[in-house]
Amino acid sequence: MADDRLIDDEALSRSLSHLRQDANERELGAALERVIAATRLLFSATGAGLMMIDDTSMLRFVAATDETGRLLEVRQEEVGHGPCVDALAFDRVTYVTDLAGDDRWPASVTELSEVGVRALLGVPVHAEGIAVGALNVYRDHPTEWSDSEVRALEAYSTLIESMLRSAFMAHERGEVVQQLQHALDSRVVIERGVGVLMGRHGIDAVEAFNRLRHDARSSGRKVADVAAEILAQIPGNPR
Amino acid sequence: MSLAVERWFGALSRTLGTVDVSDRDLEKRLDELVGVAIQVLDVSGAGLMLLDPESHLRLIGASDDAARMLESSQLDAGAGPGLLSTRTREVVAVSDLNGDGRWPQIASAVAPFGIRSVLSAPLWLGGRPVGNLNLFDSRPRAWTASDCERIGAFAEVAGSMLLLALRAHDQALIAGRLRDQLQAANGAGC
């Protein structure tokens, strides 16, 4: 690998762009990086990797612990077929006891048995109940995966699901926060604009607001923008 | 404030009032964490403590009554493997509570629940130890170096997950506060 970063930021960004990720992307990226790095230790694996679907529903490489793991994902991404692709496509655990001679997969994938990918376990990763990715671990020796290993990896993948969910919620709520802040800010401006019009024309608040709104509608602007313009025209106004 | 303006803002704040500020989601995330720890680290049970705003450790999650007792007996005693791990920032291993001698009070409190061995790791958040994760087994267990490494790695992942869950939680609190301000402003009139 060119550097020791486990996450391909660009790939992650591409994969999550359709879910309107941005502010939390770096934090989510760091968290996923940690998840994948720990996977190797927690599951006595030679390596581990994560793939997620992008905005065209294609499964893309997101993270891997090592160069071999990266190759494993990139090859599957290229041919659109393989154990991790199956884990996502069929939304179920995919077991590979020994990749060497496993004729379910394309040659470009099975030939990775020569560089240390022998046993492989892939589990789907969900968002809102839909499979959106696959977490996989591999070992450099053939393995009959035990039920407890499979259950443990499935349980572990729910941590990734939890992280995705938290990141999406933080993002959605962040947008609400922005809208609320904007609403509060414009409220102050509109109130002051209404006050100015009341004083200037000797009208009441309802009439003043209706004038603001009429001006806004006829010029295709926001009420707060019209109010801000009125305030800006007052000599010596700090705004 | 005039009625027209009030209606305008009232509608807006109703539209934006979609965030559940009580936010059960954070609790759910922490509950899940304990369950996943048991499966991944292959132990009988697990519990989680976090520092509250006054820097006191609090029981946050427990897999069962035994785990709850392990956590609360440590909090009662003001000591224990979990508290020690947060303070020393290191994994603390107790292979057999009965023969350990460091925490007799905890050993006798959890004995009826069948807890014999404990493994505790500090939980980190933004580079600070903010709590601890406690695993236990119903039999004496000579925790290996690999066990210690694995609980450490899991605790790091748990911290990352917690950070993201807290971000989401914070946004809900901020949204709630802003919405209250907006509604107060509308209600006050002017």
Side-chain angles (χ1 to χ4, degrees):
Chain A
M1 223 192 276
D3 56 32
D4 56 3
R5 301 250 312 133
L6 302 176
I7 286 274
D8 183 336
D9 282 326
E10 201 191 321
L12 179 66
S13 160
R14 211 168 46 227
S15 290
L16 296 178
S17 61
H18 63 301
L19 298 163
R20 296 186 303 137
Q21 269 294 306
D22 50 44
N24 305 103
E25 204 168 274
R26 194 164 306 166
E27 239 162 35
L28 179 62
L32 292 178
E33 192 169 333
R34 195 156 276 173
V35 170
I36 298 306
T39 307
R40 180 149 58 171
L41 193 62
L42 291 169
F43 296 92
S44 309
T46 309
L50 178 68
M51 299 183 85
M52 291 191 64
I53 52 171
D54 68 4
D55 48 0
T56 60
S57 294
M58 289 292 291
L59 201 55
R60 300 282 184 201
F61 163 80
V62 168
T65 52
D66 53 18
E67 181 54 31
T68 308
R70 183 189 288 260
L71 258 183
L72 176 64
E73 298 191 344
V74 169
R75 291 272 168 92
Q76 294 186 69
E77 188 182 312
E78 284 164 4
V79 294
H81 190 203
C84 310
V85 176
D86 267 19
L88 172 107
F90 299 112
D91 194 1
R92 66 171 183 227
V93 183
T94 308
Y95 310 77
V96 176
T97 307
D98 189 355
L99 193 60
D102 192 332
D103 57 14
R104 286 177 294 171
W105 322 114
S108 65
V109 174
T110 51
E111 72 185 22
L112 290 175
S113 63
E114 289 158 27
V115 292
V117 185
R118 296 298 291 272
L120 207 144
L121 193 58
V123 300
V125 172
H126 304 91
E128 302 300 324
I130 298 162
V132 294
L135 170 68
N136 62 87
V137 296
Y138 75 89
R139 288 180 181 160
D140 59 8
H141 51 276
T143 303
E144 293 283 352
W145 299 97
S146 72
D147 284 350
S148 67
E149 281 175 319
V150 174
R151 275 200 304 273
L153 191 63
E154 283 184 301
Y156 192 66
S157 73
T158 65
L159 293 186
I160 297 177
E161 294 170 359
S162 179
M163 288 172 170
L164 293 174
R165 181 171 162 75
S166 291
F168 299 152
M169 284 177 74
H171 178 81
E172 267 187 21
R173 291 167 174 179
E175 291 200 332
V176 172
V177 163
Q178 275 183 4
Q179 286 171 301
L180 283 167
Q181 189 63 61
H182 181 72
L184 267 172
D185 292 347
S186 30
R187 187 184 202 281
V188 172
V189 173
I190 292 169
E191 275 175 24
R192 292 179 60 199
V194 165
V196 169
L197 290 183
M198 285 165 74
R200 190 179 287 168
H201 302 294
I203 51 179
D204 66 9
V206 176
E207 174 63 20
F209 179 73
N210 285 339
R211 281 199 192 184
L212 274 181
R213 191 164 57 178
H214 177 263
D215 282 0
R217 279 185 182 161
S218 59
S219 58
R221 289 177 299 167
K222 290 177 179 164
V223 178
D225 292 344
V226 175
E229 195 181 276
I230 289 169
L231 295 175
Q233 286 162 355
I234 300 172
N237 190 309
R239 288 183 66 95
Chain B
M1 193 91 175
S2 71
L3 273 176
V5 184
E6 256 169 51
R7 270 201 302 275
W8 193 69
F9 279 107
L12 185 64
S13 56
R14 272 195 302 280
T15 309
L16 296 176
T18 51
V19 174
D20 173 19
V21 185
S22 66
D23 195 17
R24 311 285 296 178
D25 198 68
L26 184 60
E27 282 172 43
K28 218 171 116 195
R29 300 276 88 85
L30 293 168
D31 258 359
E32 285 170 1
L33 197 57
V34 172
V36 176
I38 294 173
Q39 295 229 30
V40 172
L41 299 165
D42 189 26
V43 289
S44 308
L48 193 69
M49 287 186 213
L50 282 180
L51 290 171
D52 69 12
E54 282 78 43
S55 296
H56 296 124
L57 282 167
R58 298 233 177 265
L59 166 63
I60 297 295
S63 59
D64 53 16
D65 288 342
R68 210 164 290 122
M69 179 52 77
L70 175 64
E71 306 297 71
S72 59
S73 65
Q74 293 190 71
L75 293 172
D76 290 346
L83 277 63
L84 184 62
S85 77
T86 301
R87 203 169 65 235
T88 60
R89 306 177 173 206
E90 278 171 7
V91 175
V92 174
V94 183
S95 54
D96 189 349
L97 271 172
N98 289 355
D100 191 86
R102 278 182 288 181
W103 302 289
Q105 197 181 330
I106 294 164
S108 55
V110 302
F113 292 88
I115 296 179
R116 289 297 292 275
S117 48
V118 180
L119 189 65
S120 303
L123 207 63
W124 299 84
L125 200 65
R128 278 189 328 124
V130 295
N132 53 75
L133 173 68
N134 301 284
L135 309 177
F136 68 84
D137 219 313
S138 49
R139 58 196 159 87
R141 184 162 166 176
W143 303 102
T144 63
S146 158
D147 288 330
C148 296
E149 263 183 18
R150 293 172 77 223
I151 190 179
F154 189 87
E156 279 199 17
V157 171
S160 297
M161 189 187 122
L162 191 60
L163 182 68
L164 289 172
L166 283 172
R167 288 276 182 271
H169 184 71
D170 285 350
Q171 293 294 333
L173 290 183
I174 296 168
R177 223 171 285 141
L178 287 173
R179 199 167 56 233
D180 286 349
Q181 275 182 35
L182 197 55
Q183 274 159 1
N186 291 342
C190 58

